[in-house]
Structure formats: structure tokens, C-alpha cells
Amino acid sequence: MSLATFLDLTLSGLVVGAIYALFALGYTLVYGVLRLINFAHSEVFMWGSFAAVWLMMAMGARSGMSIPAAIGFLLLALIAAMAVSGAIALVVEKVAYSRLRHKNAPPLVALISAIGASFVLAEIMGLRDKIAGWVGLDGVLAPYVARARDTTSFPNPLPNVTLFEVADFPVRSNQLIVLFAALIMMVALDQFVRRSRLGRGVRAVSQDPEAAALMGINRDRVIQLTFLLGGLMAGAAALLYLMHIGVTRFNVGFILGIKAFTAAVLGGIGNIRGALLGGLTLGLAENYGSLIFGTEWKDVVAFCLLIVVLLFRPTGLLGESLGKARA
Amino acid sequence: MRRFLDAVGDAPRGVRIAGLVALALLAYALPLLNPPIITTPESDFRAVLFTVASYALVALGLNIVLGYAGLLDLGYVGFYAVGAYTVAVFGSLHGNLPFPLLMVLAVCITTASGLLLGAPTLRVRGDYLAIVTLGFGEIIRLVALNSEWLNGARGITGIPRPPSVELFEIPRLTWEGWVAYVDLGDKSVFMKFALLDATPYYWLTLTVIIFVLFADVLLQRSRVGRAWEATREDEEAAELNGVPTFRFKLLAFAMGAFVGGMSGALFASRQGSINPEPFVIQISILFLAAVVIGGQGNRWGAIVGAIVVAYLPERFREASEFRVLIFGLALLVLSNFRPQGLLPPRRRRRVNRETDRKQQMEGGVVHG
């Protein structure tokens, strides 16, 4: 193995890991306040990715634009993805969770409800050509809805240039942009939860919902806020994913969501910094694992790592700091 | 609906047993009756019945793990796959053992895999178990997909069938509108296991289900069942009262694996050939949905849930493109409007009834 291969695997592992981490925040935040796996979070991500693709198509983005224009386009796509993902996350909360929460239903039912929401959201996207046909818009929207079950590619206007070389390994601009953008978003969220008034509410509810309610914190608001924050982060993750991988699909969220959730658990679910550590660890482990055992064993390595880590550190690498120790 | 359930629950034992026997007879007769409305116009009704029965068997197994012991298992399809692959590997690919022996072997290996997975992982807390089991299910599938010894994606063909005893032929009914005809050209041979006619497999699976139901009743009413319930409701309290919770959780896991493996073995034999494709996580989710929709902790609920999950998509095949969408909507509606499941356990129903009564009384004081 050459040094260049190793560096390549390391960098792409870190990039994928950062995307996992950003995606994992939605699972971690919601788990922190609700103690529930938000199964529909994968679809929140998927809708964000389509929002970005569609906006780019509508604005006519293509490669070979001037750099400032390309950056502007990407920023607009980021805003669109975050807005749509955030909105979908709020819808999921409203439709799949809030009613059950007020009924005090057993937690597993909420899981099934979220799975139902996830199927519905994925299938609406996967059947968008039919649905557009019902309202007679399939002609107008043809470029957006055609071949609904195939992959859609993301027209990235930003050229992927080689910035510098380390030991014959070219470091490309897109990878660095994705990595740093993800890290900045995570730091921003971490600071928001740690320092802001709203963030304090989130932490209070995750530590002790009853006491938080007695202190005048509106639990429903806080829950909506965590869904929104998770959705925003998933939208950002979706755009970065598109910049890195280049295509999306109606069922792209499923496997990625499982990976992101694995990352959240690996780092210690409910813990924002844990999600970062878990995501990066998972991304690196996958890449090194596929180097040692072959690409087809990548996922096996990831899940084995998870099982081994949980055996020795049952609450994940960093433990559950956002939440309390279990009653 | 609720009044009906309560009436069934409070009916005398004799009446209940008679009802169950009648229900079982009806279930056995279904592939022969081929009743209109219930039958599936777009796909082979007998094959659908077999699928429903094998789902019901799986749901019964998962109900032990999830409903009784309260362990969230998202990788239950892994046990199903282990059962199926055991039969395939030792019956066709690397051996040619006869079916009855294969069945025993499949059950032993799946139970062992349940113990093997459970022993290290059941010490982690409930919610983590979900992702660990999900990982396990994926690992099983990926190993089957990538291992040359298991023939990878090509899968395994020529899986042995149960030994046939061709005793007599039974004609089935065909319907024209509401008039039934005995169709002498389309007969089922009593216990001839073949690819074309799934009826004998359905009967075999149904018989297995009945045995599992008996064992399930005995188990739930025994010390073991009470220990599971105590563990599910409050693990610390159970432990303090002398229930070795870890051992009982492991037992639940092994029992669940046992039943799941059996269903997988029957599935493999019925298909005649298998590949890793049908063992994806989505199927685990379907199993889970069956148990939760039905009402976790109630064996009849698990069966009803399995029927909903396996039968409805086949019945409405003409809407095949929208199947998953409709299924998702059904999950959303069912969980939001019947959070306790279609058939909640009797004790839960009593609790709900009491709560309602109390609320009514309290309400009466406030307004009165």
C-alpha cells in the first residue's frame, strides 16, 4: 500500500465521517429530549438533498461558471436544503410524534409511527412523477419529476481543483470544503446548545423533563426546536453529501440514516461532540476496513466496530452527556 | 370492537376453546375454499397464504422477544436468514441431509446464534440493543452476500423439500360470482410438497404455528413468563426481587431465535432456492410492524398484525406501485389512532378500562 492510497482513504473517510456526524445530530438531539429513535430523519435528509438539486436545476447551474457565482449558487442551495429539511422535520414531529406524545403512548408505537412517516415521505418522492401527473403538472415539471425511481445527479457548479499535493496525493478542493463546512456547522450547533437561552431549554428538557416543565420551559416548543435543529443540520449534510457523492435518490436516506444513527450511538447518543467523534471514527473505520478486507466488507466492519465498542463502553465513546443517567 | 374483545376475553373457557378450534379448521380449509373477496386475484392465493403463515410464525417469535421481554430487536430477519441458510447449506450446497434433520439442525443453529448474539449484547441498555441487533441482521446478510462458501449473490438452489406422503387428493372450489363449483381439475394432493402447490407447506406451517401457540401459552403463564413481564416493566425492581434478568432476557432471545429460525427453514424449503436478497433490514421492520400493530404482548395480536402486513399488500396488488406508500400511511394511521395495537393484551385492556372509568368519575365530580 502506498502512502498516497492511505492518505486518500484517510481524507475521504474523514469527509464521509463528517457528513455522518452532521446527519447524526438529528438522531442525537431528538433522542436526547424524547428518548426515541427518529426513524424518519433519513427522509428529512433525502428531501433536503432534492431541494438542493432542484434549486440548482431551476437556476440553471452548470460547471464552468465563475467562482463567485458558483459559491453563491451553493450557498443558496444550502439555504434551500436546510429550509426544506427543517420544514420536513417539523412536519414529522407534528404528524408522527406530537399526537402520540399527548396520549402517553408506549415508545415503540412512536417508532412505528415514525417508520410509517418515513415510508410515506420516501414514496412520495419515489412516485413524484405519478403525483405530478395527477395534478397535470408532469409536463411542466418533467425535468424535476421524470424517472422518479432512478438517481438524480447534482449539477455542481464549483470546479473540483487540486489544491496541493502531499506525497503524490492530490488534495482536492471539494473534499476540504465539505470537511470544513461540516465542522463549522457542528461547532455552531454545539455553541448554540451550550450558550443560548433556547439551547439551555433543550439541555434542561433532556436532563429532566418534569423539572424543566416546573421551571416554566415549554416542552412542546423545545421538542419542536430540536426537530428543527436536527432538520437544519440534515439539510446541510445533504448538500455536502451531494458535493461529495454527486447523486441522490428517493431511498438514499435509508442506509445513510442507519450509518448516521450508528455514528450517533458509537459516540454516545444524546451527545453532540460524541456524534462528531462517532461519525469520524465510523468514516475512517469503514475506509480502513475496506482497505484490509475489501470494499464489500465495509458495512460489516462498521457494524462489528459498533458492537465491539458497545461491549466495552456501553454508553458509547463519550457517554451520554446531553441526557441524564437513566432512571 | 372493544366490547367484542372484552366479551371474547370474558367468555367461558369451553366457548373460547370451541371458537379457537373452529378458527383453526377454517384456517386449514382456506386454500381449498378459495373464498371470493378474501382470495387474491392478482397472485397465487395458496402462495400468499403460506407467506402469511410464515409471517405469523415469525411474529409469534418476535412477540416473545419484544412483547414479553420488551427487547427491541431490529435485526430479527437475521435469525430468519440463519434458519433458511442452514437448510440450504446442509441440504444442498455442502451436504444432503434429509429435511426433518435439517429442520432440527436449523433450529439448533439459530438458537445458538441467538445465544451468541445475546450473551454479549443483552448487557447493553434497551435502546442500544436496537442498533446492535440491526447491525447483526445486516452482518448476516452481508456475510451471505460476500462469502464464497455460501455462494454469494448467486444464492443456493436445490433445497430439499419435506418428504411427501401422497395419501389422497382434495379438490378445491372455484367461484363464479357467489356460486361455488368443485373443481375436479385442480386438486391438492394431501401432503405432496412441490414447487407449484404451496398448500401442503401452508398446512405444515399452520401446524407448527399451533404447536408454537401451545408452547407460548404455557411459557407465558409459567414462572418464565412472569419473569419476562417483571423484567419488561422494571428491570431494576425485577433484579432486586431475585429475578436473574440477564438470564431471562437471554432465554427470550433464544426462544425468539428458535421460532424465527423455524420459519426461515420452512421458507427456504418452500422456495427451493434462496439468495441474500430477501433478508434486508426492511423485512425486519415489517416483522416489527406486525407485532406492534397487532398489539405487542398478545399472541393473537401478533398473528393479526402479520396478516395485516403480509396479506393486505398482496390483496391489493393492483395498486402495486403505491403499496409501500399505502402501507406507510396505514402504519401512521394505526399507530396514531390505535396506539395500543389492534389486539392489546387482556391485562392492558383491563388497565385501560379502569383508567377510563376513573377519568369518567373524576370528570363527573368536576362537572357535577
Side-chain angles (χ1 to χ4, degrees):
Chain A
M1 180 189 71
S2 68
L3 186 59
T5 334
F6 178 75
L7 286 175
D8 183 20
L9 286 173
T10 308
L11 186 59
S12 71
L14 286 175
V15 169
V16 172
I19 294 172
Y20 286 159
L22 209 49
F23 194 174
L25 287 176
Y27 290 104
T28 271
L29 285 169
V30 169
Y31 191 89
V33 294
L34 282 184
R35 310 266 139 199
L36 287 174
I37 306 170
N38 178 10
F39 224 91
H41 192 57
S42 48
E43 268 42 71
V44 169
F45 172 90
M46 183 272 291
W47 276 79
S49 73
F50 273 95
V53 169
W54 287 341
L55 186 76
M56 283 300 196
M57 285 165 78
M59 295 192 306
R62 58 185 196 289
S63 54
M65 298 167 70
S66 70
I67 301 282
I71 290 175
F73 273 33
L74 281 176
L75 283 178
L76 283 177
L78 178 70
I79 292 168
M82 287 174 77
V84 168
S85 285
I88 295 281
L90 286 178
V91 169
V92 166
E93 196 275 333
K94 195 85 210 148
V95 174
Y97 286 97
S98 82
R99 202 186 145 85
L100 285 174
R101 195 169 63 244
H102 293 129
K103 272 190 178 175
N104 270 333
L108 263 186
V109 178
L111 182 72
I112 295 296
S113 170
I115 288 172
S118 160
F119 283 179
V120 170
L121 283 170
E123 285 300 313
I124 288 177
M125 188 54 84
L127 296 165
R128 61 186 187 275
D129 47 351
K130 304 274 175 337
I131 294 168
W134 292 341
V135 285
L137 285 175
D138 46 340
V140 192
L141 295 177
Y144 302 98
V145 298
R147 295 189 298 112
R149 294 194 100 76
D150 293 338
T151 54
T152 309
S153 57
F154 175 68
N156 189 352
L158 202 64
N160 193 6
V161 293
T162 302
L163 293 178
F164 52 88
E165 288 192 358
V166 182
D168 288 342
F169 167 65
V171 176
R172 299 216 163 239
S173 55
N174 267 352
Q175 286 182 316
L176 286 190
I177 292 173
V178 171
L179 187 57
F180 282 111
L183 292 179
I184 290 168
M185 301 289 302
M186 300 209 48
V187 171
L189 182 80
D190 187 53
Q191 291 304 311
F192 178 79
V193 172
R194 256 161 216 273
R195 299 194 183 230
S196 74
R197 217 178 121 78
L198 289 170
R200 200 155 66 218
V202 172
R203 280 182 295 138
V205 171
S206 69
Q207 276 164 15
D208 190 336
E210 280 93 33
L214 289 174
M215 299 297 142
I217 294 171
N218 184 340
R219 181 158 183 250
D220 286 340
R221 271 292 133 71
V222 166
I223 289 169
Q224 281 165 5
L225 176 69
T226 49
F227 271 87
L228 178 67
L229 286 175
L232 294 177
M233 294 296 135
L239 180 77
L240 300 181
Y241 173 83
L242 287 172
M243 286 178 69
H244 185 60
I245 305 287
V247 291
T248 184
R249 202 177 172 197
F250 79 101
N251 60 1
V252 71
F254 190 80
I255 291 295
L256 264 177
I258 286 171
K259 290 290 180 58
F261 183 66
T262 307
V265 173
L266 196 62
I269 195 156
N271 183 332
I272 294 175
R273 293 177 185 182
L276 177 62
L277 183 64
L280 295 181
T281 313
L282 190 68
L284 284 178
E286 274 185 4
N287 270 6
Y288 293 151
S290 59
L291 178 72
I292 299 169
F293 302 103
T295 339
E296 69 271 27
W297 296 101
K298 192 169 105 173
D299 293 355
V300 177
V301 172
F303 288 123
C304 286
L305 174 77
L306 174 79
I307 293 177
V308 170
V309 168
L310 285 185
L311 284 186
F312 293 103
R313 283 196 67 86
T315 50
L317 290 170
L318 292 188
E320 311 171 0
S321 79
L322 198 87
K324 56 171 172 176
R326 213 140 219 243
Chain B
M1 178 72 182
R2 192 164 168 184
R3 200 170 295 163
F4 172 74
L5 286 181
D6 289 341
V8 171
D10 300 336
R13 197 181 155 84
V15 176
R16 278 224 310 273
I17 290 175
L20 287 181
V21 170
L23 209 64
L25 287 178
L26 180 70
Y28 273 107
L30 265 182
L32 302 175
L33 294 176
N34 201 16
I37 299 184
I38 292 177
T39 192
T40 48
E42 307 271 329
S43 44
D44 181 9
F45 183 51
R46 292 162 278 177
V48 171
L49 279 178
F50 170 76
T51 312
V52 171
S54 62
Y55 268 64
L57 188 55
V58 171
L60 280 176
L62 186 57
N63 184 43
I64 297 178
V65 181
L66 181 73
Y68 296 167
L71 304 167
L72 178 52
D73 187 343
L74 285 182
Y76 198 67
V77 76
F79 299 128
Y80 192 65
V82 170
Y85 263 88
T86 308
V87 170
V89 167
F90 295 104
S92 163
L93 193 63
H94 298 294
N96 48 0
L97 300 177
F99 183 80
L101 202 61
L102 283 172
M103 203 62 191
V104 175
L105 196 64
V107 162
C108 290
I109 292 186
T110 348
T111 312
S113 74
L115 289 174
L116 220 66
L117 173 70
T121 55
L122 283 173
R123 294 188 195 274
V124 306
R125 228 190 38 217
D127 311 288
Y128 288 85
L129 191 66
I131 187 77
V132 170
T133 49
L134 192 151
F136 164 77
E138 266 301 89
I139 288 174
I140 296 282
R141 183 180 72 87
L142 289 168
V143 167
L145 186 67
N146 296 325
S147 159
E148 273 307 305
W149 192 72
L150 295 171
N151 251 10
R154 276 163 296 148
I156 300 171
T157 54
I159 299 168
R161 304 183 176 285
S164 301
V165 274
E166 295 171 35
L167 291 180
F168 47 85
E169 295 184 328
I170 313 171
R172 56 179 79 249
L173 298 181
T174 25
W175 296 78
E176 275 176 28
W178 287 99
V179 189
Y181 298 91
V182 177
D183 189 347
L184 290 174
D186 184 17
K187 293 176 186 169
S188 273
V189 183
F190 182 70
M191 290 330 218
K192 180 184 175 218
F193 292 94
L195 184 62
L196 276 181
D197 189 1
T199 316
Y201 279 104
Y202 169 66
W203 283 333
L204 180 64
T205 314
L206 209 56
T207 315
V208 172
I209 288 179
I210 291 175
F211 276 110
V212 170
L213 276 173
F214 270 116
D216 195 68
V217 171
L218 293 179
L219 211 57
Q220 199 205 2
R221 286 186 188 160
S222 70
R223 222 170 75 86
V224 178
R226 289 197 302 277
W228 281 338
E229 196 175 336
T231 312
R232 181 189 66 207
E233 293 302 325
D234 191 332
E235 204 172 323
E236 275 92 7
E239 188 75 49
L240 285 173
N241 281 292
V243 178
T245 52
F246 175 71
R247 228 181 286 168
F248 277 107
K249 285 198 287 186
L250 198 58
L251 181 68
F253 228 60
M255 298 298 298
F258 179 101
V259 178
M262 238 170 3
S263 190
L266 286 168
F267 170 76
S269 168
R270 152 83 185 114
Q271 294 291 313
S273 64
I274 54 165
N275 59 41
E277 204 182 319
F279 304 113
V280 290
I281 307 174
Q282 281 90 337
I283 302 298
S284 278
I285 291 175
L286 224 55
F287 293 158
L288 186 75
V291 175
V292 177
I293 286 178
Q296 25 174 325
N298 182 349
R299 58 187 78 86
W300 304 109
I303 292 178
V304 170
I307 294 172
V308 169
V309 164
Y311 170 75
L312 288 186
E314 290 294 333
R315 176 67 186 80
F316 299 103
R317 233 202 151 97
E318 54 268 29
S320 61
E321 276 183 318
F322 300 98
R323 272 161 74 160
V324 184
L325 180 64
I326 295 169
F327 181 65
L329 282 173
L331 287 188
L332 259 182
V333 169
L334 277 175
S335 52
N336 275 286
F337 292 95
R338 253 194 105 71
Q340 70 277 41
L342 290 171
L343 286 181
R346 209 185 307 164
R347 194 173 301 170
R348 173 108 8 104
R349 279 208 303 278
R350 279 195 200 131
V351 171
N352 286 349
R353 221 175 345 174
E354 278 308 303
T355 322
D356 280 9
R357 213 169 52 95
K358 218 185 276 172
Q359 269 174 356
Q360 256 173 10
M361 278 163 58
E362 283 169 0
V365 171
V366 170
H367 297 297

